[in-house]
Amino acid sequence: LTTARNPQNKPNEGLTQLFLDESRTLLFTSALTIASKELFGNYPSSLWPLVKVLDIGGPEVQNSITKLTEIPPIPAHVHSGILNNGKLKKETGKLEAYFFLPVNVPPYQKDFGRVISRLGLKKDVTKQQVAKSLKCFGRSDDIYDLLNEYEVKSYEGWTIRPGVVHAPGPWLTLEVQKPQDDANFLGWKLGQKISTSSVDDDYLFYVLGGLKDEEDFIEQAIDWDASTDPKFKEKFHRPSKVLSAGDFGRVLQIFFDEFYGEAIEVNPKKIYIRESDDRPFVGIVWSGHGKLNGNLVDVNQENRREFLVVPGTTLEVSNSSECEILFIFTVFPIRQ
């Protein structure tokens, strides 16, 4: 429901479309003007999170600091709200959370090896070090050496508060965010440099974004206490939690805090029934095929792997496969 805010905008970028039939689609935003009560019940669209599957990918590069090669993460950045009259309110910045998807299932069948995400600043990092690294934006990878490194494991995740420095690693990730688009970079793409002819302009645009200088950036954009918390992992790491299990398979909670989501895993030729409640939710078929209330879903069919469940709907999930588990991941409205 939130249009992406990029330097080169594309029409309706980031907006969901509903498939009415094989030839007709409708923007979700348009559908809400017609039938918001039927689609969302008592939940306002402001509580509908941004939902993304991050597939960073790309070739390996050499880190200019460690000299090791790795697939680069998303550039180090923070979400600290929209600048207004030279002021940022970190509490209005974009809250987000990650769930690291399983990749050892069809049709992916991948082994990424050791992958790291850089989240938060090392506890002994100083503001002077960060200011110095900001001045190296687009010229070196200094900032990445100041961030915590955590190994990515499927079925685990994190909650990232506004103002927390982060550079998510190259693992297939289900990401949910507060519905807005704001960001300030701290570093450029790992292992890459910006040309000398444009680096200063890019610094003003991507990093400062209207802030006065490095010191202003650190004071306004970074939640220093949260980013450097010695118990960062203890406070923000979110392993999934089994809610129920049985002959049908299992259901897990995959998002926490203000966000909520479930993983539904249905064993071959089994059925799982999720009783109705007053919340709408969306889902993605991650692996396998089957039926949802009699409607075909299949990870290998583009128009059959995402769905919306409206409030008051009991969901029957049946797995049609003789041998493969049906994996479905769902996201619910933001909790107030």
Side-chain angles (χ1 to χ4, degrees), residues 145-198:
D145 197 41
L146 304 182
L147 273 65
N148 298 313
E149 295 184 358
Y150 299 104
E151 186 173 356
V152 173
K153 296 181 180 180
S154 62
Y155 284 90
E156 296 187 359
W158 295 80
T159 296
I160 301 297
R161 296 284 169 191
V164 169
V165 181
H166 57 290
W171 188 282
L172 286 169
T173 303
L174 185 60
E175 180 183 48
V176 292
Q177 300 175 316
K178 184 178 176 181
Q180 63 189 53
D181 199 3
D182 64 87
N184 293 78
F185 283 26
L186 287 86
W188 190 237
K189 301 172 185 178
L190 184 75
Q192 299 183 38
K193 295 182 180 180
I194 300 175
S195 66
T196 54
S197 61
S198 63

Side-chain angles (χ1 to χ4, degrees), residues 83-112:
L83 193 70
N84 185 14
N85 294 324
K87 298 295 182 182
L88 285 173
K89 291 184 178 180
K90 286 188 284 290
E91 63 272 17
T92 67
K94 184 163 63 175
L95 174 73
E96 65 185 32
Y98 315 135
F99 170 71
F100 300 129
L101 293 157
V103 296
N104 60 341
V105 297
Y108 319 99
Q109 301 292 18
K110 298 294 184 182
D111 180 0
F112 290 153

Side-chain angles (χ1 to χ4, degrees), residues 190-317:
L190 184 75
Q192 299 183 38
K193 295 182 180 180
I194 300 175
S195 66
T196 54
S197 61
S198 63
V199 67
D200 290 336
D201 288 340
D202 285 348
Y203 182 72
L204 293 174
F205 180 80
Y206 289 108
V207 180
L208 295 184
L211 295 169
K212 291 185 294 184
D213 52 29
E214 295 79 21
E215 288 69 28
D216 195 28
F217 181 102
I218 292 168
E219 292 306 315
Q220 290 209 60
I222 299 177
D223 184 331
W224 193 261
D225 290 341
S227 292
T228 61
D229 196 313
K231 295 183 178 180
F232 187 89
K233 183 174 182 179
E234 181 181 326
K235 290 187 176 181
F236 303 118
H237 181 232
R238 301 289 183 265
S240 59
K241 173 185 176 183
V242 176
L243 299 176
S244 62
D247 186 54
F248 73 90
R250 63 177 185 167
V251 178
L252 304 92
Q253 183 177 348
I254 59 173
F255 290 113
F256 301 84
D257 309 300
E258 290 91 335
F259 298 115
Y260 184 79
E262 294 176 355
I264 300 172
E265 301 176 359
V266 181
N267 289 329
K269 291 298 182 181
K270 298 296 181 181
I271 293 175
Y272 168 71
I273 295 178
R274 189 185 194 284
E275 298 297 336
S276 67
D277 62 35
D278 68 343
R279 297 172 297 174
F281 62 93
V282 293
I284 178 172
V285 179
W286 184 245
S287 180
H289 64 280
K291 291 185 177 181
L292 303 183
N293 289 359
N295 298 292
L296 175 67
V297 291
D298 189 337
V299 69
N300 293 311
Q301 296 188 40
E302 183 178 2
N303 297 343
R304 298 285 181 176
R305 57 187 180 218
E306 297 178 7
F307 60 90
L308 168 71
V309 177
V310 299
T313 303
T314 297
L315 184 66
E316 181 182 280
V317 185

